Amino acid sequence: MKRIMVTGALGQIGCDLVAKLRQIYGEEAVLATDIRQIHHETVQSGPFRTLDVTDNTAFYEAAREHKADTIIHLAALLSAKAESDPALAWHLNMGGLLSGLETARALSCQFFTPSSIAAFGSDTPKNSTPQDTLQRPLTMYGVSKVAGELLCDYYYHKYGVDTRGLRFPGLISHSAPPGGGTTDYAVDMYGSAISSGSYTSYINKGTYLDMMYMPDAIQAVITLMEADPSKLKHRNAFNVSAMSVDPEAIATNIRRHIPEFTLDYDVDPIRQAIANEWPDSIDATAAREEWGFDVQYDLNHMTDDMVSKLMVKLQADQSKIS
Ligand code: NAD
């Protein structure tokens, strides 16, 4: 990776990823793009361009003008939002991916796009879900992610495009808000614990899902993209995870810092049904063996960091008001 273009760069992953990529590869080397433009560090700290990824000509032109050798394609509609507008989800998730893959083919770029634990379904083994297994999701988000994994495989086998990808679990971070996924509750819980000392979860207790802290997710993208291609047997859609947790486990952990924190439930049937389809815990052995996947943060370490970062943010916001 030398000259990188990122789509959906103002989202939860993009904001942190662009900052890290600019730190490693240089500010001018990383073009951030998104359909919207907001007042944000990602827009100010290096090249930025508005781009609708479903416009394949504009996608190609942006990559060509930047002289990109790598495309990191993040723009997508996430699980809960996709269920409320399945046609838009298909149009964006598949149309945007096709624009990206065609651009990568035309310009000989390396190509990364994330899949998700949503690519599994209720028939998939729930515990220690294998890398290669049954994938029959019933959500539009899941359908688009399985189709996306297959399309990336196709471009590799048919055209030799260097496609790579990860099946991300729920990602927890503090710098940008999550974009409408099912695991957003975990991010929201940390924020509410700091600001109000209580949280009402839309996901029920006992619902275990894989999660990972954003710095580990970012490092996983970079390590995979820099990995020796001859070692990659799977290329696209590697299972990766750092922990399997339910809302109670996170709340108990937060109470190490905020003992009076209270957690209630008001379960949202739509997001709960999505979560019920997903594995309790996935097996990341292939990622470890093929390119050395590893994580730095377990639940304790992540909670310590989230709480301290959010406390600093809250204090800064309060001092701006007063
Ligand atoms: P997000 O919703 O936070 O950000 C998506 C960004 O895409 C937004 O900034 C949005 O403005 C932009 N966008 C929307 N429509 C666009 C268009 N037509 N053209 C260009 N940009 C457009 O999403 P995220 O959490 O950063 O996720 C990025 C990728 O990672 C997605 O493919 C998602 O499926 C995958 N993923 C995320 C998670 C997670 O927990 N965040 C987990 C698994 C997989």
Side-chain angles (χ1 to χ4, degrees):
M1 288 199 286
K2 287 195 173 65
R3 293 198 57 86
I4 305 160
M5 168 172 151
V6 181
T7 72
L10 293 175
Q12 189 196 5
I13 299 176
C15 287
D16 284 345
L17 180 64
V18 166
K20 187 72 182 178
L21 291 175
R22 284 183 175 154
Q23 200 187 321
I24 299 173
Y25 300 94
E27 285 162 6
E28 289 307 310
V30 183
L31 171 67
T33 71
D34 203 288
I35 197 168
R36 60 200 168 108
Q37 180 159 4
I38 53 171
H39 185 72
H40 193 276
E41 175 73 14
T42 308
V43 176
Q44 271 115 37
S45 65
F48 177 85
R49 176 168 179 153
T50 50
L51 170 69
D52 177 351
V53 293
T54 61
D55 179 342
N56 46 11
T57 308
F59 201 133
Y60 171 83
E61 281 306 321
R64 191 184 62 78
E65 283 171 26
H66 183 61
K67 297 187 173 50
D69 63 24
T70 304
I71 295 169
I72 298 191
H73 176 56
L74 301 176
L77 211 61
L78 271 71
S79 57
K81 279 194 181 165
E83 274 321 278
S84 66
D85 194 343
L88 174 64
W90 181 262
H91 175 68
L92 171 55
N93 295 6
M94 300 314 299
L97 181 58
L98 195 61
S99 300
L101 286 166
E102 275 297 304
T103 299
R105 177 163 86 99
L107 299 174
S108 303
C109 295
Q110 233 194 331
F111 186 86
F112 174 90
T113 199
S115 184
S116 158
I117 51 171
F120 301 114
S122 47
D123 299 332
T124 307
K126 274 223 166 273
N127 288 298
S128 211
T129 304
Q131 175 66 42
D132 301 308
T133 187
L134 192 61
Q135 292 179 262
R136 304 292 290 178
L138 295 176
T139 62
M140 179 50 91
Y141 182 62
V143 168
S144 73
K145 286 300 179 189
V146 178
E149 291 181 7
L150 293 172
L151 198 60
C152 290
D153 283 351
Y154 181 82
Y155 269 71
Y156 169 64
H157 288 291
K158 174 103 179 163
Y159 301 117
V161 178
D162 184 357
T163 54
R164 306 185 185 195
L166 301 168
R167 283 185 192 129
F168 275 139
L171 299 180
I172 297 176
S173 67
H174 51 80
S175 40
T182 302
T183 52
D184 292 3
Y185 86 83
V187 178
D188 297 344
M189 197 191 305
Y190 283 102
S192 297
I194 303 297
S195 60
S196 69
S198 66
Y199 181 66
T200 303
S201 173
Y202 58 79
I203 292 294
N204 214 350
K205 68 167 74 167
T207 307
Y208 280 83
L209 292 168
D210 282 287
M211 304 268 179
M212 186 149 78
Y213 197 32
M214 192 60 85
D216 282 332
I218 302 292
Q219 191 52 54
V221 175
I222 295 167
T223 309
L224 173 61
M225 291 306 277
E226 295 288 9
D228 176 353
S230 68
K231 302 248 164 66
L232 303 180
K233 291 193 206 99
H234 288 88
R235 299 202 72 88
N236 294 303
F238 282 97
N239 283 3
V240 288
S241 176
M243 63 196 88
S244 166
V245 289
D246 83 329
E248 289 296 324
I250 300 175
T252 304
N253 211 275
I254 288 173
R255 287 192 196 102
R256 290 187 302 114
H257 296 272
I258 308 167
E260 64 283 5
F261 174 63
T262 58
L263 173 62
D264 299 304
Y265 293 89
D266 181 10
V267 174
D268 168 13
I270 294 174
R271 284 179 286 187
Q272 184 65 43
I274 295 174
N276 290 346
E277 250 212 352
W278 295 356
D280 288 0
S281 66
I282 61 175
D283 175 20
T285 305
R288 273 189 218 99
E289 288 180 354
E290 291 177 37
W291 50 275
F293 166 67
D294 200 7
V295 293
Q296 303 295 316
Y297 291 88
D298 60 11
L299 179 57
N300 280 352
H301 192 184
M302 176 178 78
T303 300
D304 295 347
D305 201 57
M306 279 292 283
V307 169
S308 76
K309 297 273 168 45
L310 287 171
M311 290 268 196
V312 169
K313 217 176 192 178
L314 184 72
Q315 276 156 9
D317 290 347
Q318 281 170 344
S319 67
K320 263 188 225 154
I321 296 166
S322 57

